[in-house]
Amino acid sequence: MQLIIAILIGVLAGAHISTWGMYKDSIHEGFTWPKYFRSVVVGSTLAVIAMLVTDIDLARPAGMVVFFGLIYGFERLTLELWKGFIREEDQTKYFIPMQFGIGGRPIDDRRIRWSALVGIVALLAVSIWGVATLQENRPNLPPWLILVTVGSLGGWLTAFGGAWKDAPVEGFETLKFFRSPAVSLFWASLLAFFTTDWVYIGIGAAGYSVATIETYKTFFFPNKPRGKFAGKPILHPRMLKLRHYFVPIYVTIWVLIVGTYAIAFQQPHGGLLGSTAAPEGGRPQTLEYSVSVISVPSACGTIWKSPKMCGASG
């Protein structure tokens, strides 16, 4: 069951990413199914790996929301590193080059790019190790301090990475720079109700931050070209209409996210920001049980139209 849930979460995270990416890029690059399903495949693969190496209980909604953010963050990290340091692609089609560069100029030498990639991966690994070690040695630090530092760390890394890539071309924007850390802090504060693991909070918050900011940029300003395509012509105008057919997928995933958070808060949960006690009777706190608790009384009221009859039937 854990494996099935993990794959499903990976598919949903990947589909969410693929949809906002397609919505913004397809009018310039065109649409292909392999490219659309790329994040789905990567997300589901990472989900299986994460399920095997973490202790997250995916049968509980609390575990699901943490796991979704974790996979979202790792998927974005994986593909951005691949696109920036490994993939060979003509960068002239972009206003802002996607390939790793210095001062807005992409570096063509693979040895330099791959050396930089090794350094960045090492830095990220040391950061994760450092956070885990700090939690092990100083577990009683104030929650607010953990959230402000570790909770927003992924947002700061995103902000610095974005500024390194974008600022030399389009200039430095102060509000844009601080946006990712602020949004990450918000999501870290939510995740902290469901897990005590600082690494999960930091990476998961970064994942949700990307999901939130990309939703804002993509669907609140649909006619504003992405920075990397600013000033570039629309080469595939038919996608201006066809891309709308994917919006229901995107909305459905957001509804599932919000709904799962709502159920998770209703259930007994424990995390960095405290815990709630389990109810008497020892009922298993699974998603199926939560849905049955919520839906059965509602259905009863609809059928019998009487609280007494519902009480008798229970």
Side-chain angles (χ1 to χ4, degrees):
M1 189 63 179
Q2 289 275 104
L3 177 61
I4 295 175
I5 297 174
I7 294 175
L8 179 58
I9 291 175
V11 168
L12 291 175
H16 194 271
I17 294 165
S18 293
T19 302
W20 61 252
M22 176 279 304
Y23 196 91
K24 292 194 290 186
D25 294 349
S26 61
I27 60 176
H28 299 283
E29 296 181 315
F31 174 84
T32 63
W33 286 108
K35 184 174 182 179
Y36 182 80
F37 281 108
R38 181 179 63 194
S39 288
V40 175
V41 173
V42 174
S44 56
T45 302
L46 291 173
V48 173
I49 297 173
M51 182 208 68
L52 296 174
V53 300
T54 66
D55 57 354
I56 300 175
D57 183 4
L58 298 182
R60 301 179 64 247
M64 293 178 187
V65 296
V66 173
F67 196 75
F68 183 91
L70 203 62
I71 299 307
Y72 210 106
F74 273 125
E75 192 282 342
R76 285 291 76 207
L77 175 63
T78 301
L79 281 189
E80 289 302 319
L81 291 177
W82 171 71
K83 290 189 290 185
F85 297 91
I86 298 176
R87 183 176 67 177
E88 299 288 344
E89 187 182 39
D90 178 18
Q91 298 295 302
T92 59
K93 69 178 183 179
Y94 300 120
F95 173 67
I96 299 177
M98 294 294 99
Q99 192 169 283
F100 173 72
I102 298 177
R105 296 183 177 182
I107 295 176
D108 295 326
D109 193 323
R110 291 183 182 179
R111 294 170 298 179
I112 297 177
R113 292 205 315 268
W114 290 13
S115 297
L117 174 61
V118 171
I120 290 175
V121 171
L123 175 62
L124 293 173
V126 169
S127 298
I128 293 175
W129 172 82
V131 170
T133 302
L134 181 62
Q135 180 173 11
E136 183 178 351
N137 294 325
R138 300 292 298 276
N140 296 320
L141 289 177
W144 68 265
L145 180 60
I146 298 168
L147 293 177
V148 170
T149 54
V150 176
S152 64
L153 179 59
W156 285 112
L157 293 175
T158 301
F160 278 106
W164 177 278
K165 178 171 61 73
D166 299 345
V169 180
E170 62 180 10
F172 180 81
E173 300 180 38
T174 303
L175 291 178
K176 181 179 178 181
F177 181 78
F178 287 101
R179 181 176 60 192
S180 289
V183 177
S184 290
L185 178 59
F186 167 78
W187 283 105
S189 300
L190 291 183
L191 291 174
F193 283 99
F194 306 117
T195 180
T196 58
D197 193 296
W198 298 2
V199 173
Y200 295 170
I201 291 173
I203 298 176
Y208 279 111
S209 172
V210 173
T212 303
I213 292 172
E214 291 297 341
T215 298
Y216 168 75
K217 293 192 300 182
T218 303
F219 296 99
F220 284 77
F221 302 95
N223 297 321
K224 182 180 179 180
R226 296 187 69 175
K228 68 180 183 180
F229 286 118
K232 298 295 183 178
I234 294 177
L235 302 177
H236 302 271
R238 70 186 187 94
M239 290 306 303
L240 287 169
K241 179 180 179 180
L242 293 179
R243 63 182 183 173
H244 292 296
Y245 292 112
F246 291 82
V247 173
I249 299 175
Y250 199 77
V251 174
T252 299
I253 296 173
W254 265 123
V255 170
L256 290 173
I257 293 171
V258 174
T260 306
Y261 264 98
I263 294 174
F265 270 111
Q266 290 176 355
Q267 289 188 357
H269 53 270
L272 186 67
L273 293 181
S275 61
T276 58
E280 295 182 3
R283 292 292 189 116
Q285 296 302 315
T286 62
L287 183 60
E288 293 87 350
Y289 173 69
S290 299
V291 172
S292 68
V293 169
I294 295 172
S295 62
V296 169
S298 176
C300 176
T302 301
I303 296 172
W304 295 107
K305 307 294 184 183
S306 168
K308 292 183 179 180
M309 292 300 293
C310 288
S313 64

